[in-house]
Coordinates of all heavy atoms in Angstrom, one line a residue:
M1 N 128.0 93.3 114.6 CA 126.9 92.3 114.8 C 125.6 93.0 115.1 O 125.6 93.9 116.0 CB 127.3 91.3 115.9 CG 126.2 90.3 116.2 SD 126.7 89.2 117.6 CE 125.2 88.3 117.8
P2 N 124.5 92.7 114.4 CA 123.2 93.4 114.7 C 122.7 93.0 116.1 O 122.7 91.9 116.5 CB 122.3 92.9 113.6 CG 122.9 91.7 113.1 CD 124.4 91.7 113.3
V3 N 122.2 94.0 116.7 CA 121.6 93.8 118.1 C 120.2 94.4 118.1 O 120.0 95.4 117.6 CB 122.5 94.6 119.1 CG1 121.9 94.4 120.5 CG2 123.9 94.1 119.1
P4 N 119.3 93.7 118.7 CA 117.9 94.2 118.8 C 117.9 95.5 119.5 O 118.5 95.7 120.5 CB 117.2 93.1 119.6 CG 118.0 91.9 119.5 CD 119.4 92.3 119.3
K5 N 117.1 96.5 119.0 CA 117.0 97.8 119.5 C 116.3 97.9 120.9 O 116.7 98.6 121.7 CB 116.3 98.7 118.5 CG 116.5 100.2 118.8 CD 116.0 101.0 117.7 CE 116.3 102.5 117.9 NZ 115.8 103.3 116.8
R6 N 115.3 97.1 121.0 CA 114.5 97.1 122.2 C 114.3 95.7 122.8 O 114.3 94.7 122.0 CB 113.1 97.7 122.0 CG 113.2 99.2 121.6 CD 111.8 99.8 121.6 NE 111.8 101.0 120.9 CZ 112.4 102.1 121.2 NH1 113.0 102.2 122.3 NH2 112.3 103.2 120.4
K7 N 114.1 95.6 124.1 CA 113.8 94.3 124.7 C 112.4 93.9 124.2 O 111.5 94.7 124.1 CB 113.8 94.5 126.2 CG 113.3 93.2 126.9 CD 113.2 93.5 128.4 CE 112.7 92.3 129.1 NZ 112.6 92.5 130.6
V8 N 112.3 92.6 123.9 CA 111.0 92.0 123.5 C 110.2 91.8 124.8 O 110.7 91.0 125.7 CB 111.1 90.7 122.7 CG1 109.7 90.1 122.4 CG2 111.8 91.0 121.4
S9 N 109.1 92.5 124.9 CA 108.3 92.4 126.2 C 107.7 91.0 126.4 O 107.6 90.2 125.4 CB 107.2 93.4 126.2 OG 106.2 93.0 125.2
K10 N 107.4 90.6 127.6 CA 106.8 89.3 127.9 C 105.5 89.1 127.0 O 105.3 88.0 126.5 CB 106.4 89.2 129.4 CG 107.6 89.1 130.3 CD 107.1 89.1 131.7 CE 108.2 89.3 132.7 NZ 107.7 89.5 134.1
S11 N 104.8 90.2 127.0 CA 103.5 90.1 126.2 C 103.8 89.8 124.8 O 103.2 88.8 124.2 CB 102.8 91.4 126.4 OG 101.7 91.4 125.5
R12 N 104.7 90.5 124.2 CA 105.0 90.3 122.8 C 105.6 88.9 122.5 O 105.2 88.2 121.6 CB 105.9 91.4 122.3 CG 106.0 91.5 120.8 CD 107.0 92.6 120.4 NE 107.2 92.5 119.0 CZ 106.8 93.5 118.1 NH1 106.3 94.6 118.6 NH2 107.0 93.3 116.8
R13 N 106.5 88.5 123.4 CA 107.1 87.2 123.2 C 106.1 86.1 123.3 O 106.1 85.2 122.5 CB 108.2 87.1 124.3 CG 108.9 85.7 124.3 CD 109.5 85.5 125.7 NE 108.5 85.4 126.8 CZ 108.8 85.6 128.0 NH1 110.0 85.9 128.5 NH2 107.8 85.5 128.9
D14 N 105.2 86.2 124.3 CA 104.2 85.1 124.6 C 103.2 85.1 123.5 O 102.7 84.0 123.1 CB 103.6 85.3 125.9 CG 104.6 85.1 127.1 OD1 105.7 84.6 126.8 OD2 104.3 85.4 128.2
K15 N 102.9 86.3 122.9 CA 101.9 86.3 121.8 C 102.5 85.5 120.6 O 101.8 84.8 119.9 CB 101.6 87.7 121.4 CG 100.5 88.4 122.2 CD 100.3 89.8 121.6 CE 99.8 90.7 122.6 NZ 99.8 92.1 122.1
R16 N 103.8 85.7 120.4 CA 104.5 85.1 119.2 C 104.5 83.6 119.5 O 104.1 82.8 118.6 CB 105.9 85.6 119.1 CG 106.6 85.1 117.8 CD 108.1 85.3 117.9 NE 108.5 86.6 118.3 CZ 109.4 86.8 119.2 NH1 110.1 85.7 119.7 NH2 109.7 88.0 119.7
S17 N 104.8 83.1 120.7 CA 104.9 81.7 120.9 C 103.6 81.1 121.0 O 103.4 79.8 120.9 CB 105.7 81.4 122.2 OG 105.4 82.3 123.2
A18 N 102.5 81.9 121.2 CA 101.2 81.3 121.3 C 100.8 80.7 119.9 O 100.0 79.8 119.8 CB 100.2 82.3 121.7
N19 N 101.3 81.3 118.8 CA 100.9 80.8 117.5 C 101.8 79.7 117.0 O 101.5 79.1 116.0 CB 101.0 82.0 116.5 CG 100.0 83.0 116.8 OD1 98.8 82.7 116.9 ND2 100.4 84.3 116.8
K20 N 102.8 79.3 117.8 CA 103.7 78.2 117.3 C 103.0 76.9 117.3 O 103.4 76.0 116.6 CB 105.0 78.2 118.1 CG 105.9 79.4 117.7 CD 107.2 79.3 118.4 CE 108.1 80.5 118.0 NZ 109.3 80.6 118.8
G21 N 102.1 76.7 118.3 CA 101.5 75.4 118.4 C 100.2 75.2 117.7 O 99.5 74.2 117.8
L22 N 99.8 76.2 116.8 CA 98.5 76.1 116.2 C 98.5 75.0 115.1 O 99.5 74.9 114.4 CB 98.2 77.5 115.4 CG 97.8 78.6 116.3 CD1 97.5 79.8 115.4 CD2 96.6 78.2 117.1
V23 N 97.5 74.2 115.1 CA 97.3 73.2 114.1 C 95.9 73.3 113.5 O 95.0 73.5 114.2 CB 97.5 71.8 114.8 CG1 97.3 70.7 113.8 CG2 98.8 71.7 115.5
F24 N 95.9 73.2 112.2 CA 94.6 73.2 111.5 C 94.0 71.8 111.6 O 94.2 71.0 110.8 CB 94.7 73.7 110.0 CG 95.1 75.1 109.9 CD1 96.3 75.4 109.3 CD2 94.3 76.1 110.4 CE1 96.7 76.7 109.1 CE2 94.7 77.4 110.3 CZ 95.9 77.7 109.6
S25 N 93.2 71.6 112.7 CA 92.7 70.2 112.9 C 91.4 70.0 112.2 O 90.9 68.9 112.0 CB 92.5 70.0 114.4 OG 91.6 71.0 114.9
T26 N 90.7 71.1 111.7 CA 89.4 71.0 111.1 C 89.4 71.2 109.6 O 88.5 71.7 109.0 CB 88.4 72.0 111.7 OG1 89.0 73.3 111.6 CG2 88.2 71.7 113.2
L27 N 90.5 70.8 108.9 CA 90.5 70.9 107.5 C 89.5 69.9 106.9 O 89.4 68.8 107.3 CB 91.9 70.5 106.9 CG 93.0 71.6 107.0 CD1 94.3 71.1 106.5 CD2 92.5 72.8 106.1
S28 N 88.8 70.4 105.9 CA 87.9 69.6 105.1 C 88.3 69.7 103.7 O 89.2 70.4 103.3 CB 86.5 70.0 105.3 OG 86.3 71.3 104.9
N29 N 87.7 68.9 102.8 CA 88.0 68.9 101.4 C 87.0 69.6 100.6 O 85.8 69.6 100.9 CB 88.1 67.4 100.9 CG 89.4 66.8 101.5 OD1 90.4 67.4 101.7 ND2 89.3 65.5 101.7
C30 N 87.4 70.3 99.6 CA 86.5 71.1 98.7 C 85.5 70.1 98.0 O 85.9 69.0 97.6 CB 87.3 71.8 97.6 SG 86.3 72.7 96.4
Q31 N 84.2 70.5 97.9 CA 83.2 69.6 97.3 C 83.5 69.5 95.8 O 83.1 68.5 95.2 CB 81.8 70.2 97.5 CG 81.4 70.1 98.9 CD 80.0 70.8 99.1 OE1 79.4 71.2 98.2 NE2 79.5 70.7 100.3
T32 N 84.1 70.5 95.2 CA 84.2 70.6 93.7 C 85.5 69.9 93.3 O 85.5 69.0 92.4 CB 84.2 72.0 93.2 OG1 83.1 72.6 93.8 CG2 84.1 72.0 91.7
C33 N 86.7 70.3 93.9 CA 88.0 69.8 93.4 C 88.7 68.9 94.4 O 89.6 68.2 94.0 CB 88.9 71.0 93.1 SG 89.4 72.0 94.5
G34 N 88.2 68.9 95.6 CA 88.8 67.9 96.6 C 90.0 68.4 97.3 O 90.6 67.7 98.1
N35 N 90.4 69.6 97.1 CA 91.6 70.2 97.8 C 91.3 70.5 99.2 O 90.1 70.8 99.5 CB 92.1 71.4 97.1 CG 93.0 71.1 95.9 OD1 94.0 70.4 96.1 ND2 92.7 71.7 94.8
P36 N 92.2 70.4 100.1 CA 91.9 70.7 101.5 C 91.6 72.2 101.7 O 92.3 73.1 101.1 CB 93.3 70.4 102.3 CG 94.3 70.3 101.2 CD 93.6 69.9 99.9
V37 N 90.5 72.5 102.5 CA 90.0 73.9 102.6 C 89.8 74.1 104.1 O 89.3 73.2 104.8 CB 88.7 74.0 101.8 CG1 88.3 75.5 101.8 CG2 88.8 73.5 100.5
L38 N 90.0 75.4 104.5 CA 89.6 75.8 105.9 C 88.1 75.9 105.9 O 87.5 76.3 105.0 CB 90.3 77.1 106.2 CG 91.8 77.0 106.4 CD1 92.3 78.4 106.6 CD2 92.2 76.2 107.6
P39 N 87.5 75.6 107.1 CA 86.1 75.7 107.2 C 85.6 77.2 107.0 O 86.2 78.1 107.4 CB 85.8 75.2 108.6 CG 87.1 75.3 109.4 CD 88.1 75.1 108.4
H40 N 84.4 77.3 106.4 CA 83.8 78.6 106.1 C 84.6 79.5 105.3 O 84.6 80.7 105.4 CB 83.4 79.3 107.4 CG 82.6 78.5 108.4 ND1 81.3 78.2 108.2 CD2 83.0 77.8 109.5 CE1 80.9 77.4 109.2 NE2 81.9 77.2 110.0
Q41 N 85.5 78.9 104.4 CA 86.3 79.8 103.5 C 86.2 79.2 102.1 O 86.1 78.0 101.9 CB 87.8 79.8 104.0 CG 87.9 80.5 105.3 CD 89.3 80.9 105.6 OE1 90.2 80.9 104.7 NE2 89.6 81.1 106.9
V42 N 86.4 80.1 101.1 CA 86.3 79.7 99.7 C 87.6 78.9 99.4 O 88.7 79.2 99.8 CB 86.2 81.0 98.9 CG1 86.3 80.7 97.4 CG2 85.0 81.8 99.2
C43 N 87.4 77.9 98.5 CA 88.5 77.2 98.0 C 89.4 78.1 97.1 O 88.9 78.6 96.2 CB 88.0 76.0 97.3 SG 89.4 75.0 96.5
K44 N 90.7 78.2 97.4 CA 91.5 79.1 96.6 C 91.9 78.4 95.3 O 92.4 79.1 94.4 CB 92.7 79.5 97.4 CG 92.4 80.4 98.5 CD 93.6 80.8 99.4 CE 93.2 81.7 100.5 NZ 94.3 81.9 101.5
E45 N 91.8 77.1 95.2 CA 92.2 76.4 94.0 C 91.2 76.6 92.9 O 91.6 76.8 91.7 CB 92.4 74.9 94.3 CG 93.6 74.7 95.2 CD 94.9 75.1 94.7 OE1 95.1 74.9 93.5 OE2 95.7 75.6 95.4
C46 N 89.9 76.4 93.2 CA 88.9 76.5 92.2 C 87.9 77.6 92.3 O 87.1 77.9 91.4 CB 88.1 75.2 92.1 SG 87.2 74.8 93.6
G47 N 87.9 78.4 93.5 CA 87.0 79.5 93.7 C 85.6 79.1 94.0 O 84.7 80.0 93.9
H48 N 85.4 77.9 94.5 CA 84.0 77.5 94.8 C 83.8 77.5 96.3 O 84.8 77.3 97.1 CB 83.8 76.0 94.3 CG 83.5 76.0 92.8 ND1 84.4 76.2 91.9 CD2 82.3 75.7 92.2 CE1 83.9 76.0 90.7 NE2 82.6 75.8 90.8
Y49 N 82.6 77.7 96.7 CA 82.2 77.6 98.2 C 80.9 76.9 98.2 O 79.9 77.3 97.6 CB 82.1 79.0 98.8 CG 81.7 78.9 100.3 CD1 82.6 78.5 101.2 CD2 80.4 79.2 100.7 CE1 82.3 78.5 102.5 CE2 80.1 79.2 102.0 CZ 81.0 78.8 102.9 OH 80.7 78.7 104.3
K50 N 80.8 75.7 98.9 CA 79.7 74.9 99.0 C 79.1 74.6 97.6 O 77.9 74.7 97.3 CB 78.6 75.5 99.8 CG 78.9 75.5 101.3 CD 77.8 76.1 102.1 CE 78.1 76.0 103.6 NZ 77.0 76.5 104.4
G51 N 80.0 74.3 96.6 CA 79.6 73.9 95.3 C 79.2 75.0 94.4 O 78.8 74.8 93.3
V52 N 79.3 76.3 94.8 CA 78.9 77.5 94.0 C 80.2 78.3 93.7 O 81.0 78.5 94.6 CB 77.9 78.4 94.8 CG1 77.5 79.6 93.9 CG2 76.7 77.6 95.1
K53 N 80.3 78.7 92.4 CA 81.5 79.5 92.0 C 81.3 80.9 92.6 O 80.3 81.6 92.3 CB 81.5 79.5 90.5 CG 82.7 80.3 89.9 CD 83.9 79.5 89.9 CE 85.0 80.3 89.2 NZ 86.3 79.7 89.4
V54 N 82.3 81.3 93.4 CA 82.1 82.6 94.1 C 83.2 83.6 93.6 O 82.9 84.8 93.4 CB 82.3 82.4 95.7 CG1 82.2 83.7 96.4 CG2 81.3 81.4 96.1
I55 N 84.4 83.2 93.5 CA 85.5 84.1 93.1 C 86.2 83.6 91.9 O 86.2 82.4 91.6 CB 86.5 84.4 94.3 CG1 87.1 83.1 94.7 CG2 85.8 85.1 95.4 CD1 88.3 83.3 95.6
R56 N 87.0 84.5 91.2 CA 87.9 84.1 90.2 C 89.2 83.8 90.9 O 89.7 84.5 91.7 CB 88.1 85.2 89.2 CG 86.8 85.5 88.3 CD 87.1 86.5 87.3 NE 87.6 87.7 87.9 CZ 88.2 88.7 87.2 NH1 88.5 88.5 85.9 NH2 88.6 89.8 87.8
T57 N 89.8 82.7 90.5 CA 91.1 82.3 91.1 C 92.2 83.1 90.4 O 92.0 83.7 89.4 CB 91.4 80.8 90.9 OG1 91.4 80.5 89.5 CG2 90.3 80.0 91.6
K58 N 93.4 83.0 91.0 CA 94.5 83.8 90.5 C 94.9 83.3 89.1 O 95.2 84.1 88.2 CB 95.7 83.6 91.4 CG 96.9 84.5 91.1 CD 97.9 84.4 92.2 CE 99.0 85.4 92.0 NZ 100.0 85.4 93.0
S59 N 94.9 82.0 88.9 CA 95.2 81.5 87.5 C 94.2 82.0 86.5 O 94.6 82.3 85.3 CB 95.3 80.0 87.6 OG 94.1 79.4 88.0
E60 N 92.9 82.0 86.9 CA 91.9 82.5 85.9 C 92.1 84.0 85.6 O 92.0 84.4 84.4 CB 90.5 82.3 86.5 CG 90.1 80.9 86.5 CD 88.8 80.7 87.3 OE1 88.4 81.6 88.1 OE2 88.2 79.6 87.2
R61 N 92.5 84.8 86.6 CA 92.8 86.2 86.3 C 94.0 86.4 85.4 O 94.0 87.2 84.5 CB 93.0 87.0 87.6 CG 91.7 87.1 88.5 CD 91.9 88.2 89.5 NE 93.0 88.0 90.4 CZ 93.0 87.3 91.5 NH1 91.8 86.8 92.0 NH2 94.1 87.1 92.3
M62 N 95.0 85.6 85.7 CA 96.2 85.6 84.8 C 95.9 85.3 83.4 O 96.3 85.9 82.4 CB 97.3 84.7 85.4 CG 97.9 85.1 86.7 SD 99.0 86.5 86.5 CE 100.4 85.7 85.8
Y63 N 95.0 84.2 83.2 CA 94.6 83.8 81.9 C 93.9 84.9 81.1 O 94.2 85.2 80.0 CB 93.8 82.5 82.0 CG 93.3 82.0 80.6 CD1 94.1 81.3 79.8 CD2 91.9 82.3 80.3 CE1 93.7 80.9 78.6 CE2 91.5 81.8 79.0 CZ 92.3 81.1 78.2 OH 91.9 80.7 77.0
E64 N 92.9 85.5 81.8 CA 92.1 86.6 81.2 C 93.0 87.8 80.9 O 92.9 88.4 79.8 CB 91.0 87.1 82.2 CG 89.9 86.0 82.3 CD 88.9 86.4 83.4 OE1 89.0 87.6 83.9 OE2 88.1 85.6 83.7
R65 N 94.0 88.1 81.7 CA 94.9 89.2 81.5 C 95.7 89.0 80.2 O 95.9 89.8 79.4 CB 95.8 89.4 82.7 CG 96.5 90.7 82.8 CD 97.3 90.9 84.1 NE 96.4 90.7 85.2 CZ 96.8 90.3 86.4 NH1 98.1 90.0 86.6 NH2 96.0 90.2 87.4
N66 N 96.2 87.7 80.1 CA 97.0 87.4 78.9 C 96.1 87.4 77.7 O 96.6 87.9 76.6 CB 97.6 86.0 79.1 CG 98.7 86.0 80.1 OD1 99.3 87.0 80.3 ND2 99.0 84.9 80.7
Q67 N 94.9 87.0 77.8 CA 94.0 87.1 76.6 C 93.8 88.5 76.2 O 93.8 88.8 75.0 CB 92.6 86.4 77.0 CG 92.6 84.9 77.2 CD 92.9 84.2 75.9 OE1 92.4 84.6 74.8 NE2 93.7 83.2 75.9
T68 N 93.5 89.4 77.1 CA 93.2 90.8 76.7 C 94.5 91.4 76.1 O 94.4 92.2 75.2 CB 92.8 91.6 77.9 OG1 93.7 91.4 79.0 CG2 91.4 91.2 78.4
R69 N 95.7 91.0 76.7 CA 96.9 91.6 76.1 C 97.1 91.1 74.7 O 97.5 91.8 73.8 CB 98.1 91.1 77.0 CG 98.3 92.0 78.2 CD 99.5 91.5 79.0 NE 99.6 92.2 80.2 CZ 100.4 91.9 81.2 NH1 101.1 90.8 81.1 NH2 100.4 92.6 82.4
Q70 N 96.8 89.8 74.4 CA 97.0 89.3 73.1 C 96.1 89.9 72.1 O 96.5 90.3 71.0 CB 96.7 87.8 73.1 CG 97.9 87.0 73.7 CD 97.6 85.5 73.7 OE1 96.5 85.0 73.3 NE2 98.6 84.7 74.1
T71 N 94.8 90.2 72.5 CA 93.9 90.8 71.6 C 94.3 92.2 71.3 O 94.2 92.7 70.2 CB 92.4 90.8 72.2 OG1 92.5 91.4 73.5 CG2 91.9 89.4 72.3
K72 N 94.9 92.9 72.3 CA 95.3 94.3 72.1 C 96.5 94.3 71.1 O 96.6 95.1 70.2 CB 95.8 94.9 73.4 CG 94.6 95.5 74.2 CD 95.1 96.1 75.5 CE 94.0 96.6 76.4 NZ 94.4 97.2 77.6
V73 N 97.4 93.3 71.3 CA 98.6 93.2 70.4 C 98.1 92.9 68.9 O 98.5 93.5 68.0 CB 99.5 92.1 70.9 CG1 100.6 91.8 69.8 CG2 100.2 92.6 72.1
E74 N 97.1 92.0 68.8 CA 96.6 91.7 67.5 C 95.9 92.9 66.9 O 96.1 93.1 65.7 CB 95.6 90.5 67.6 CG 96.3 89.2 67.9 CD 95.3 88.1 68.2 OE1 94.1 88.4 68.2 OE2 95.8 87.0 68.5
Q75 N 95.1 93.6 67.7 CA 94.4 94.8 67.1 C 95.5 95.9 66.7 O 95.3 96.5 65.6 CB 93.5 95.4 68.2 CG 92.3 94.6 68.4 CD 91.4 95.1 69.6 OE1 91.8 96.0 70.3 NE2 90.3 94.5 69.7
G76 N 96.5 96.0 67.5 CA 97.5 97.0 67.1 C 98.3 96.6 65.9 O 98.5 97.4 65.0
A77 N 98.6 95.3 65.7 CA 99.2 94.8 64.5 C 98.3 94.9 63.3 O 98.7 95.3 62.2 CB 99.6 93.3 64.7
G78 N 97.0 94.6 63.5 CA 96.0 94.8 62.4 C 95.9 96.2 61.9 O 95.8 96.4 60.7
A79 N 95.9 97.1 62.8 CA 95.8 98.5 62.5 C 97.0 99.0 61.7 O 96.9 99.7 60.7 CB 95.7 99.4 63.7
Q80 N 98.2 98.5 62.0 CA 99.4 98.8 61.3 C 99.4 98.2 59.9 O 99.9 98.8 58.9 CB 100.7 98.3 62.1 CG 100.9 99.1 63.3 CD 102.1 98.6 64.2 OE1 102.6 97.5 63.9 NE2 102.4 99.3 65.2
K81 N 98.8 97.0 59.8 CA 98.8 96.3 58.5 C 97.8 97.1 57.6 O 98.1 97.1 56.4 CB 98.3 94.9 58.6 CG 99.4 93.9 59.2 CD 98.8 92.5 59.4 CE 99.9 91.6 60.0 NZ 99.3 90.3 60.4
D82 N 96.8 97.6 58.1 CA 95.8 98.3 57.3 C 96.4 99.6 56.6 O 96.0 99.9 55.5 CB 94.6 98.7 58.1 CG 93.7 97.5 58.5 OD1 93.9 96.4 57.9 OD2 93.0 97.6 59.5
V83 N 97.3 100.2 57.3 CA 97.8 101.5 56.8 C 98.6 101.3 55.5 O 98.3 102.0 54.5 CB 98.7 102.2 57.9 CG1 99.4 103.4 57.3 CG2 97.8 102.6 59.1
P84 N 99.5 100.3 55.4 CA 100.3 100.2 54.2 C 99.4 99.6 53.0 O 99.6 100.0 51.9 CB 101.4 99.2 54.5 CG 101.1 98.6 55.8 CD 100.2 99.6 56.5
A85 N 98.4 98.8 53.4 CA 97.5 98.3 52.4 C 96.7 99.4 51.7 O 96.5 99.5 50.5 CB 96.5 97.3 53.0
S86 N 96.2 100.4 52.5 CA 95.4 101.5 51.9 C 96.4 102.4 51.1 O 95.9 103.0 50.1 CB 94.7 102.3 53.1 OG 95.7 102.8 53.9
S87 N 97.6 102.5 51.5 CA 98.5 103.4 50.8 C 98.9 102.8 49.4 O 99.2 103.5 48.5 CB 99.8 103.7 51.6 OG 100.5 102.4 51.8
K88 N 98.9 101.5 49.4 CA 99.2 100.8 48.1 C 98.1 101.1 47.1 O 98.4 101.2 45.9 CB 99.4 99.3 48.3 CG 100.7 98.9 48.9 CD 100.8 97.4 49.2 CE 102.1 97.1 49.9 NZ 102.1 95.6 50.2
E89 N 96.8 101.1 47.5 CA 95.7 101.3 46.6 C 95.7 102.8 46.1 O 96.1 103.2 45.2 CB 94.4 101.1 47.4 CG 94.2 99.6 47.7 CD 93.0 99.5 48.6 OE1 92.3 100.5 49.0 OE2 92.6 98.4 48.9
Ligands
ZN101 ZN1 88.0 73.6 95.2

């Protein structure tokens, strides 16, 4: 049976339990998409802050990454197609 290596000090224990009662009481809604947002923080859903686009969201980065991968694959396929066409001539 696993046993803790060291005693958890009063300080460490109380710091942990201090965070258990935390409640986000000041949630507001994003001006652009309406999702709940912490105050003074960028909306993670749409990347807007006070109605201004500030960051790219994770889904947007994923989309761009997939786009660049697709174009690379298409360019690679096109280059391979060009080689046999030139050899036929
Ligand atoms: Zn938003």
Side-chain angles (χ1 to χ4, degrees):
M1 181 181 170
V3 179
K5 192 169 188 178
R6 295 189 200 290
K7 174 184 177 180
V8 177
S9 67
K10 290 176 195 172
S11 171
R12 193 179 173 116
R13 179 201 62 201
D14 292 348
K15 278 185 207 167
R16 188 196 317 133
S17 46
N19 290 315
K20 286 182 179 173
L22 285 182
V23 180
F24 293 120
S25 58
T26 53
L27 277 178
S28 59
N29 290 328
C30 176
Q31 291 179 0
T32 310
C33 67
N35 275 308
V37 192
L38 290 172
H40 306 287
Q41 292 194 20
V42 177
C43 175
K44 289 177 182 173
E45 294 297 322
C46 65
H48 282 74
Y49 181 74
K50 289 186 177 180
V52 179
K53 181 80 172 170
V54 180
I55 59 167
R56 291 186 301 162
T57 59
K58 191 172 185 178
S59 58
E60 287 170 348
R61 289 198 304 268
M62 291 288 286
Y63 178 77
E64 290 173 10
R65 197 175 301 154
N66 288 334
Q67 288 292 321
T68 52
R69 280 182 186 166
Q70 283 180 356
T71 53
K72 279 182 182 176
V73 168
E74 287 170 2
Q75 286 173 356
Q80 289 174 353
K81 284 177 184 174
D82 290 341
V83 173
S86 61
S87 62
K88 284 178 184 175
E89 291 174 355

